[in-house]
Amino acid sequence: MNYQYFPGCTLYTKGKSLDEAGKRAGEKLGFTLEEMPYWTCCGATFPLAEDYDMALASPTRVLARGRKAGEKLVTLCAVCHNVLKRTNHVMKTNPERRAKVTDFIEEPYGGDLDVIHYLEVLRDEVGFENLAAKVEKPLAGLKVAPFYGCLLLRPKAEMAMDDPDNPSIFEDLLRALGAEPVDYPMKAECCGAFQVVHSDAMATRCSREIIDSARARGAEMLVTACPLCQFNIEERQGEMAKGEQGFKGLPVLYFTQLLALALGEPAEAMDVSRNHTDPRPALQARGL
Amino acid sequence: MRVKLDGDKVRNDRIKKVEEISCQSVYRCYQCGKCSAACPATPEMDMLPNQVIRYLQLGMDEKVFAANTPWICASCLQCMSVCPKGVDLARIMEAIRMLQLRKGKNEIEIRKFPKEYLEKAPQIAFISGYRKFLSLS
Ligand code: SF4
Ligand code: SF4
């Protein structure tokens, strides 16, 4: 099975491990992520101003090109996923804006590309039961806090992926891999997002609250689908440690990294060089 | 707090513009405060999210345009998810920023980012940050 795939600007550079581990895991599960023929940046943020049609041009062009090549488009980065799916919703439901944007990009597009997230491929196409059967190295009760963040599931009506107030897709995945998902109150909170370039104090505090909340429930690590969450919650730990003696961080991995590991990929293949807090001791302690 | 209302200012042009860009009516809000309770960014804000909308209802847009709140908002959509009246406050925050960005206001200085930081931070942080904080012209 081949899936048309939109990597986005971050996945070949700063978010490499999300992409690479996702591709390796896919091969193990019998599907290939095939980069779409021509793509540009999605804009990295969905324009909330109703009159800012220009910002819809690049994601719409991606969607139009994707539709020419197929019916489905798989994404991995939570931010790209949010932008493409919401733009698709505008194209589907708002004829006036659709006409303006498609006139501008000089490509017709009717909102009929199915934008799906890699997690949905696992849940709806592979199936968590089938996935569990393919696990070679179960994660031995590793206590993992799934971190959804703000954009993967919201707004509920447009993303239509899981219930943002009581989601389960990450938990079900972790269970299928043999890990123990940790339930904690901050799992769908904001890590500070792009505020890290404006108010890093806010990003540090928000990330700190997430770490403390997960830790209090016994988490050994956090997983996410977003390179921005990964960066904020990981990198800000340097800042947190400054203000506090004996600060203990929490490693933040991409869900694809644990997925690849459980499917038998060697732990060394997991690029953890970017991690502020090394996940290896926690993995080794459980014989992984 | 004593607030003096100015009849001429209520529903003034700038407030109408905010409503137009955000596609939201500020009068829908009945000040339950749920948005502010849900907002993760309030510790850094100088005005609560529900106050932003209250001042707009009262025609006191200068206060809102002078506040840091719209600039601290992370567009995380917690407020719109909990609002019982279906107000998308994140869009109102965006409209307030837009009106200032479109006049040439810059909120961040790209040249100030240290090189090591640029090497580490993911592209999406900068690209969305530029869209939210740099003037469009
Ligand atoms: S939650 Fe909605 S109705 Fe309540 S104060 Fe906020 S915007 Fe107004
Ligand atoms: S979108 Fe902005 S105002 Fe609303 S909850 Fe998030 S940070 Fe607060």
Side-chain angles (χ1 to χ4, degrees):
Chain A
M1 180 84 185
N2 283 1
Y3 285 105
Q4 184 178 202
Y5 171 58
F6 175 80
C9 60
T10 306
L11 264 65
Y12 286 169
T13 50
K14 315 283 169 66
K16 238 191 219 149
S17 10
L18 174 58
D19 167 82
E20 280 171 4
K23 282 182 179 150
R24 294 171 87 119
E27 296 293 343
K28 289 257 172 182
L29 292 168
F31 65 84
T32 310
L33 293 182
E34 233 171 52
E35 186 171 338
M36 62 179 293
Y38 174 89
W39 59 272
T40 55
C41 171
C42 66
T45 173
F46 177 77
L48 295 173
E50 277 289 316
D51 63 348
Y52 192 15
D53 296 315
M54 195 54 129
L56 292 178
S58 69
T60 304
R61 176 174 282 138
V62 170
L63 294 166
R65 299 275 161 97
R67 183 64 187 90
K68 263 192 208 155
E71 287 176 356
K72 265 185 206 170
L73 183 66
V74 174
T75 54
L76 248 176
C77 166
V79 176
C80 300
H81 183 64
N82 184 278
V83 176
L84 291 177
K85 198 143 181 193
R86 296 194 75 181
T87 303
N88 209 25
H89 185 260
V90 175
M91 292 302 125
K92 237 189 260 179
T93 56
N94 190 330
E96 211 180 302
R97 292 190 85 186
R98 176 177 64 223
K100 251 194 246 171
V101 175
T102 50
D103 268 0
F104 178 76
I105 63 170
E106 297 185 322
E107 280 183 76
Y109 180 64
D112 49 348
L113 179 68
D114 200 8
V115 180
I116 53 174
H117 192 270
Y118 191 101
L119 283 167
E120 291 173 294
V121 174
L122 297 179
R123 181 187 62 190
D124 307 330
E125 314 222 347
V126 177
F128 287 143
E129 271 178 35
N130 288 335
L131 170 62
K134 291 198 171 154
V135 166
E136 285 176 22
K137 221 193 292 166
L139 299 180
L142 186 71
K143 290 199 174 74
V144 184
F147 184 66
Y148 289 92
C150 55
L151 294 180
L152 194 60
L153 308 175
R154 284 196 290 259
K156 187 180 178 176
E158 287 172 43
M159 300 314 287
M161 181 163 146
D162 201 347
D163 179 1
D165 300 318
N166 190 18
S168 65
I169 192 164
F170 253 146
E171 283 82 350
D172 294 341
L173 166 67
L174 290 168
R175 266 183 225 109
L177 302 181
E180 194 185 304
V182 172
D183 191 28
Y184 64 116
M186 303 291 282
K187 66 181 167 194
E189 282 292 339
C190 178
C191 65
F194 50 78
Q195 283 290 348
V196 71
V197 302
H198 174 257
S199 164
D200 54 359
M202 183 235 173
T204 308
R205 181 189 50 75
C206 287
S207 298
R208 176 64 194 261
E209 285 174 17
I210 292 159
I211 291 179
D212 287 348
S213 164
R215 234 190 210 303
R217 298 289 174 96
E220 296 166 88
M221 60 182 62
L222 238 95
V223 283
T224 164
C226 176
L228 190 44
C229 299
Q230 203 276 346
F231 176 73
N232 280 352
I233 307 176
E234 268 285 354
E235 196 265 352
R236 296 279 96 198
Q237 293 183 30
E239 207 51 42
M240 296 170 204
K242 269 186 206 161
E244 187 182 319
Q245 282 231 319
F247 167 79
K248 277 184 91 183
L250 205 55
V252 187
L253 290 178
Y254 292 118
F255 75 95
T256 51
Q257 290 176 294
L258 282 189
L259 173 66
L261 184 69
L263 289 172
E265 290 289 316
E268 303 78 60
M270 242 192 323
D271 174 25
V272 291
S273 55
R274 282 174 45 78
N275 283 58
H276 180 271
T277 302
D278 193 342
R280 282 169 296 194
L283 295 174
Q284 276 151 12
R286 293 188 179 260
L288 293 163
Chain B
M1 174 181 79
R2 200 174 267 259
V3 171
K4 206 167 161 209
L5 288 189
D6 182 339
D8 294 338
K9 284 189 163 178
V10 175
R11 214 172 148 61
N12 69 34
D13 284 348
R14 189 156 67 162
I15 296 168
K16 282 189 201 151
K17 199 80 199 155
V18 168
E19 293 193 314
E20 191 186 307
I21 295 176
S22 64
C23 227
Q24 306 291 310
S25 162
V26 298
Y27 300 103
R28 237 185 134 92
C29 162
Y30 60 7
Q31 288 293 301
C32 67
K34 275 192 157 201
C35 49
S36 300
C39 175
T42 52
E44 282 78 25
M45 289 173 169
D46 57 9
M47 180 187 282
L48 291 170
N50 74 296
Q51 290 175 321
V52 165
I53 202 160
R54 186 61 173 152
Y55 280 124
L56 293 176
Q57 290 173 339
L58 299 176
M60 301 172 78
D61 50 306
E62 336 75 57
K63 275 195 181 288
V64 169
F65 277 75
N68 76 354
T69 297
W71 300 104
I72 292 294
C73 165
S75 303
C76 72
L77 311 183
Q78 279 283 21
C79 47
M80 66 93 79
S81 320
V82 299
C83 177
K85 296 290 285 174
V87 178
D88 192 342
L89 195 41
R91 285 191 188 264
I92 293 177
M93 299 286 189
E94 181 109 324
I96 297 163
R97 286 190 299 264
M98 276 291 162
L99 283 172
Q100 297 177 73
L101 296 172
R102 286 174 188 177
K103 288 205 163 141
K105 177 183 166 61
N106 280 333
E107 185 68 15
I108 53 172
E109 179 73 74
I110 299 180
R111 270 168 305 183
K112 283 206 181 128
F113 292 119
K115 195 165 163 278
E116 357 33 289
Y117 188 68
L118 292 173
E119 277 164 9
K120 272 193 295 186
Q123 285 83 344
I124 41 178
F126 293 110
I127 298 169
S128 39
Y130 294 170
R131 285 217 157 164
K132 299 286 182 184
F133 303 124
L134 289 180
S135 103
L136 307 174
S137 53

